[in-house]
Amino acid sequence: MHHFCVIPSCQGRGYGREILVRLVNFLLTRGYSRIRLSVVTKNRRALTLYQSVGFEVTAESNYYVRKISDIV
């Protein structure tokens, strides 16, 4: 799953958790046995939400960012 988000003005009201729980239940009824989420590992709020629904961190990728002007 990519780009799951709740607009900032609606965050902290339980909407994200409700949507995520419903989505997981929907996918389970459709026969899915694994659901993979992508999240920026520094996004503690998202990680806490996903873990509260039962997801576990199984892999971590580090991304490297550099301004182009510093490279050329």
Side-chain angles (χ1 to χ4, degrees):
M1 182 183 333
H2 298 278
H3 306 295
F4 175 76
C5 61
V6 175
I7 59 173
S9 61
C10 294
Q11 291 176 358
R13 299 181 189 175
Y15 297 135
R17 190 173 202 291
E18 180 67 23
I19 293 166
L20 192 56
V21 167
R22 288 179 184 234
L23 178 59
V24 167
N25 288 332
F26 173 80
L27 293 172
L28 289 172
T29 64
R30 297 300 187 270
Y32 287 85
S33 60
R34 289 185 174 265
I35 304 166
R36 180 175 39 179
L37 296 169
S38 295
V39 61
V40 175
T41 55
K42 291 182 182 179
N43 188 342
R44 291 315 226 180
R45 202 166 181 183
L47 287 171
T48 299
L49 168 64
Y50 299 149
Q51 290 171 338
S52 77
V53 176
F55 286 90
E56 297 176 356
V57 176
T58 59
E60 186 174 330
S61 297
N62 294 304
Y63 297 93
Y64 300 90
V65 177
R66 179 96 183 193
K67 287 193 284 185
I68 293 176
S69 60
D70 291 342
I71 298 170
V72 290

